[in-house]
Amino acid sequence: MSCLKEQFDELRKIYPDEIKDAMVLPLLQMTLKAKGHLVESDALYIADYLELPAMQVKEAMTWYSMLYRTPVGKHVVKVCRSVACSLRGEQRIVAHISKKLGIKPGETTADNKFTLLEVECLASCGTAPMMQINDTYHEDLTEAKIDQILEALQ
Amino acid sequence: MSNIEFSIDDKKLEALPGETVLKAALRNGIDIPYLCYHPCLSIAGNCRICLVRIKGRPGFHPSCNLPVAPGMEIESDCEDVSAVRKNVMQFITLNHPVDCPVCDKAGECKLQNYHFKYNGSASLSIDAKKHKPKFYDVNERILLDAERCILCSRCVRFTHEISKSGMLGITERGQQSRVEHLESGAAKDDYSDNIIQNCPVGALLSRDFLYKSRVWYLEPVASVCNGCARGCSVDVWRRKHHWKVRALGSEKNRMAYRITAKQNDDINGRWICNKGFDLNKQINDFASRATKPAIGGMDATCQDALSEARKLIFEAKKPAAIVSAHASNEELEAFKKTLGSRVEVYVRKDYEPAAGEVVEDELLIKADKNPNSTKVEELFGKESFSAAAGHDLVLVWGDNVEYSALSGAKIIHLATQKPNGNPDVLIPISTQFERKGSYTNFEGKVNRFEQVFDKPELVLHASDVFGRL
């Protein structure tokens, strides 16, 4: 945590004390970048650092699907399961990816290349069904399209 | 600033400056449903059941977060609003388990009431309900049934804004959302039981009251917490007369099933501390009650005990009395009128803060753990008993007494609990819950309590005893 703390201190210089709770997300992202995934003690550390209620930081940490709370592979496949995607065949999409990668949602492939997650709304309802791989959105998905995308990443 | 004129359902009303539509409606007796709104907590606006229409504006607006504007015309009882409320109820109950037959909240559940009033239709969903933890331990006093939780966030706001423990939060997102505490141990919160009472549904459950009784068998009786000098108003829930079934046994019929906070804006607002919620344990502690008069440790009749006490007082050269800070205003007045001039009066605090107990905080809890020290001091001063005064008889009134501190004088003890030893005369007296009365709290505010139970047969009311001595 010591070098992380230096990064925290660096960032804190540009945040006024009155809005220190606005630092929760950047600090969580920094910690994620440094450690790969977050656990509750990270939230406690940040809460302690910012003198905020620990539960407030934990709420933020669990809200965002980009803040991983288990170790993940190189490519994180996040399939949206909220209403629009669900109505347009999300379950079919997940089943196809599961079959293709040989893993269930929440699991990582043995070669640590892919992690499959089902997540809440990714705000792309107009192009449902969709998924996000790392930072890229893949929309209007079909089985053929998924095969193409995954093969390109192999 | 003057009041703002507006109307709800064509009824002309006046709102206070800055008041929301919901507050103004409730103040004027208009029933707008709400689940997440609480007058003492911040506005969350997440249950959406309080939606209303504003004439001339499109859409629906949550009335809990809608400030009244001059001339505003609100519609809260039209077909559109009813349809929206029905939809909201359908949404809220989509994953609610509807396990009312085994839910402690049944009978006083807002969700039940609103379902009958605004919904009344079977669930639209044909999918299996979302399952969540059924018995999540919030702390050693509270369980959470996450399936019943409607995520109104009242409990979360309470722990952040009122008790300031910050022990709860809503984790995850969407369908996975649920109320949780940190995995690294449940936080300590001396006011945590208030969240049970303020949960609009049966999600937060008292471990103490779990499956003890259906609420429609019970009735509340107004009382006062005797745990500290604040003297908070509480409701003691006893079995209704109609439901006193002989087959249940006397203990069940004479039991305080639970304690809830009673709103008293002058003294405690809408909250009480956990010690107040534990009052029922004190009331139900029949084993330690003094229920039989005794002379020198041997059981006696009330008549004999009173005669013996009278004789001892008559024979004493220098009698003293120690009055109790747990006595009511009426009892203290009665004592002053009858015995006050015949004996030297000393005062005593029956209870000091127990080990591990919160001594004092900024919200409600006071360091003086006796409910009526103010009145005692007003009538009898502050002087406490000293062995050096050379009294040959002491009439001790109150509990938690060490006889060794009374310097070998003869002892007449008026107690509600079995004493640690054998006084010359023991006269069992009624507890606060077996008579009417009032306490004067640390601010000088008088708070009345009602009789909850009948006193045991051989127990006397202290105010009657003084007159007969």
Side-chain angles (χ1 to χ4, degrees), chain A residues 40 59 62-63 69 120, chain B residues 169-170 172-173 176 183-184:
Chain A
E40 191 183 86
E59 280 177 328
T62 58
W63 173 267
R69 281 170 290 137
E120 296 303 317
Chain B
I170 294 178
E172 307 295 335
R173 185 153 54 107
Q176 278 60 42
E183 286 160 33
S184 50

Side-chain angles (χ1 to χ4, degrees), chain B residues 53-73:
Chain B
R53 274 193 88 108
I54 306 171
K55 259 188 196 164
R57 279 204 225 165
F60 298 89
H61 306 265
S63 58
C64 65
N65 203 18
L66 179 66
V68 175
M72 198 179 241
E73 291 178 48

